[in-house]
Amino acid sequence: MMKKINKAVLLLLMLSTTGYAQQNTDTFNGDKLFATVKKFVGLGIHRTGYPADYATSAWLSNELKSYGYKVNYLEFPVKQFFLESATVQVGQNSLAAFPLWYVNDQANLHVSGVLADTRAADAKTLNGKIALTRLKGGGQLDAASIKGLKDIIAQGAKGIVAITENISGQIVASNTQKDRTPWAVPVVFVAPKDSAKLLSRINQAVSLTVKGTFKEVKGRNVYGTIGTGSKYVVISTPISGWFTCGGERGPGIATWLALAKWVSTAKLPYTFVFTGNSGHELAGIGANAFLDQLAPAPEKTALWVHLGAGIATLQWQQTATGLKKLQVVDPKRNIIYTATVKNAFDAAFKNIAANKREVNGEPVGELVYVAKKGYQNYAGAAYSHPYFHVQTDDANTTSPVILQEIALAFKNFIELDLAKSRGK
């Protein structure tokens, strides 16, 4: 049996590593995958319940139906904030800002006060003022950062301006807390480039304004099912995010669609479920809704593959004038797997540049929820690339070459692992 598997491994690796010019199939053509990313970006702002989010699920639904899938939506309620503008007024300068969700519909979203630097102020000096603080990293506040913001609010600050320190130099949005509790006062993020203007106004009056409307809407996952096997294979990807999410969501969605099209003709003896989950930036509401309501039982699931954030983004080099794009994949992306799928993973991802590791702690992305539900056989990828959660994350953060490479690797992995489980 092992000899047969090894021969299959060698054949698949030969097919997948012959280079971009010798394309495996039309389905995994890099230019077509890149066109999918551009289409996704072109739909607009992908926040849960926003028009582009609905347009995305409708588009993916139509694609799956055209491949022969039985397709449905899974809806879940969301009290969403539809942002119009967010600014910090510093003297004559109006600085662009972005609020930290959940925005509180009971709070005053236009506040003025003396700006106090938390690095210099003691607890007593924050009462009735607007606090200036700094947050490192991007995309997801850690427990220490959340505690720090709550401590500032507890000290009486009427608003918080946070400089999001990161190598892109731009505002970095952050996903919500797990409990999705609204912040008691407005908290907004500003770009590092505006630090000097803010620091020049310490102990002087500034104002913070967030404008928008609150609406009760429905978040919407899209999922398609094909096949009649007694064992299931789940392929998941998030479809929502703060901005246009080119490198964050685009490669995962392009790979997801390519895999769905391939599965529709491969006739593998399994039931495949492809789920595109909205609500990702809102503490994974959609992923958890799918797991709670529709996901096949762990004991019936042969394999789960998750295509998370930044699975195929380009590497960027820091220079004196900013980030310079390199035409190679970012090797720091995270691709993980469980011990049960190691052989297939090692073969399929042998030539893939990444931080590859067997799961020995907490998984990445929405696989965290999958693992907590007891699923044993899974692999997936997620990575916070340099333009993760920033407004300019568009299709330019990826490329046809690296999209084709990752899509084929996941296709080969699925094929190899399922062949193993069938005893071939």
Side-chain angles (χ1 to χ4, degrees), residues 342-363:
K342 177 177 171 55
N343 290 341
F345 182 91
D346 286 346
F349 288 89
K350 179 180 179 181
N351 297 319
I352 299 295
N355 173 28
K356 295 174 281 191
R357 64 176 175 87
E358 183 179 317
V359 175
N360 53 12
E362 190 169 87

Side-chain angles (χ1 to χ4, degrees), residues 31 33-43 59 250 395-396:
D31 291 325
L33 294 168
F34 190 62
T36 298
V37 176
K38 291 196 289 186
K39 179 169 183 176
F40 175 72
V41 169
L43 292 175
W59 161 48
N396 291 314

